Amino acid sequence: MQKQAELYRGKAKTVYSTEDDALLVLEFRDDTSAGDGARIAQFERKGKVNNRFNYFIMRKLEEAGIPTQMEALLSDTESLVKKLDMVPVECVVRNRAAGSLVKRLGVEEGLVLDPPLFDLFLKNDAMHDPMINESYCETFGWVSREHLAQMKTLTYRANAVLTTLFDNAGLILVDFKLEFGLFNGEVLLGDEFSPDGARLWDKATLNKLDKDRFRQEMGGLIEAYEEVAHRLGVDLS
Ligand code: TMP
């Protein structure tokens, strides 16, 4: 399936139409951004690493019974996906305190959160992705109560699957963000799962192996992503 018109250019991916109205091509670029796009940089191999990483994770989630938009890996930097009507709400699970939670509550980074926290954010760069809750979704009509309940259930199920997967690779899944969409009325997992939208720490050293390396100007971003991919057994050849 060939890509046709460019439909949307996001901060790290470009979405293309295909000859099939129900399918899209996601192209993972080498771009990385922080601060809602305020800081942008390019990292060689990032598009390839994240595309292959995302395909690997989506397949694992499918195997565990979580429905996703993924159809096929097309090339090093492109995947074929079902076209979803995206819900403009991000679902975040936190197993340990980090990032905005630490800023908001002043709790210690790394604090174990038991049971894990579930947060919702509105996808709106201009408003800096504000935190919202279930009632906002219903009142503003971003997603129905029933579909949101499914998104929450699927996010927690993904957390269980991925926590084990990363733990077996010597990594702590600190937190992550998922986005969902509707396909013929069914809730499917969309967008991507990669170290761009998750926090992953080495179990032994608590070394950060995710996008915080870029946010905090620590260096070694792609090397960290490749290390995570290598430990999981993602094919980067
Ligand atoms: P936060 O600590 O900034 O709220 O982020 C929690 C997790 O969700 C972290 O792994 C980054 C991810 N995330 C995104 O990838 N994009 C977003 O817009 C938000 C709000 C979070």
Side-chain angles (χ1 to χ4, degrees), residues 90 92 94 98-101 119 121 129 175-177 196-199 215:
E90 303 179 332
V92 169
R94 301 176 190 276
S100 71
L101 180 74
D119 282 336
F121 296 90
D129 290 350
D175 58 27
F176 63 93
K177 179 262 301 177
D196 272 1
R199 289 194 172 91
R215 294 187 190 100

Side-chain angles (χ1 to χ4, degrees), residues 79-104:
S79 288
L80 186 68
V81 299
K82 289 192 183 77
K83 181 179 184 172
L84 306 185
D85 184 9
M86 292 303 291
V87 174
V89 169
E90 303 179 332
C91 296
V92 169
V93 164
R94 301 176 190 276
N95 297 304
R96 296 220 192 194
S100 71
L101 180 74
V102 169
K103 263 197 210 140
R104 192 155 36 86

